[in-house]
Amino acid sequence: MATITLEDRNKRTMLFGFGMALAMLGMGYAAVPLYNLFCRVTGFGGTTQVASESDAALAEQFAASAGGVSYSIRFDANTARNMPWEFKPVQVTDTVAIGQRDMAFYTARNNSDAPITGTATFNVEPEQAGRYFNKIQCFCFTEQTLQPGEEIRMPVLYYVDPAALDDPNMKGVEQITLSYTFHRADQDPS
């Protein structure tokens, strides 16, 4: 029977420790994309769903059977500290029938003397409404570049999924808040 020397045990321990360190590093890099995927799939943390036109058409068909249930939608706008834009909703609240497509507009104005590229992050409150709030078209899907003094109107085409009516966690929810925050894009050197 072969005996394992102290040197061999130390090598194994070192290799095991190195392997564990690599595994932890890999998990660290995978954590953000996996968390984002989890949030998109489940609506966790108020993450909205992205819908296609065909999804919206199906929701409208089911909306007819919803009996005219509607939600008040509140629109919120913020900018990061280093973002010299004025950003706001055109209309602060709206009422939308469940399953019906609706459109909201936001305006953004670059108050600096240089072109700035921004990207918007979004959230929905209450948190449980995120899985039912579906955006078909949104300025948050792409980066926005504004020239000095330029102002633009940006649309959001959305609907609230009729499946919200079957969720006991949505009972008592009367208003859903769609909130955006504009940040400088990563590659923007300004």
Side-chain angles (χ1 to χ4, degrees):
M1 178 176 204
T3 60
I4 300 174
T5 66
L6 180 60
E7 186 177 314
D8 288 338
R9 286 195 322 210
N10 286 345
K11 283 182 187 177
R12 272 197 221 169
T13 302
M14 182 185 71
L15 287 174
F16 179 76
F18 184 70
M20 289 301 291
L22 281 178
M24 301 273 264
L25 181 66
M27 290 299 288
Y29 277 104
V32 171
L34 289 175
Y35 179 76
N36 286 338
L37 176 64
F38 172 77
C39 290
R40 281 195 312 269
V41 170
T42 65
F44 182 76
T47 303
T48 63
Q49 304 300 303
V50 177
S52 67
E53 286 287 342
S54 60
D55 293 335
L58 284 172
E60 284 184 344
Q61 289 174 356
F62 289 115
S65 66
V69 175
S70 61
Y71 284 101
S72 170
I73 309 295
R74 189 174 80 79
F75 304 101
D76 180 49
N78 304 283
T79 56
R81 218 177 296 187
N82 67 342
M83 187 64 146
W85 284 9
E86 181 181 320
F87 175 54
K88 61 186 177 186
V90 171
Q91 184 176 341
V92 177
T93 60
D94 193 12
T95 301
V96 62
I98 196 157
Q100 293 295 313
R101 282 181 264 195
D102 202 358
M103 187 175 288
F105 289 92
Y106 284 77
T107 61
R109 178 180 175 77
N110 180 354
N111 292 326
S112 76
D113 58 359
I116 302 218
T117 300
T119 185
T121 57
F122 54 86
N123 194 12
V124 170
E125 288 295 328
E127 191 173 300
Q128 67 268 27
R131 71 181 333 159
Y132 304 110
F133 196 93
N134 292 272
K135 294 186 294 183
I136 303 164
Q137 178 186 355
C138 180
F139 57 87
C140 62
F141 298 157
T142 58
E143 292 181 344
Q144 308 293 324
T145 301
L146 297 181
Q147 298 302 314
E150 182 181 9
E151 181 172 314
I152 60 171
R153 282 174 57 105
M154 301 174 291
V156 179
L157 183 60
Y158 68 94
Y159 69 94
V160 178
D161 192 327
L165 297 174
D166 299 327
D167 187 342
N169 293 321
M170 288 293 290
K171 299 288 186 244
V173 173
E174 296 176 1
Q175 185 174 67
I176 298 172
T177 300
L178 176 62
S179 181
Y180 288 98
T181 301
F182 251 105
H183 305 269
R184 283 180 185 259
D186 289 337
Q187 70 272 13
D188 189 3
S190 304

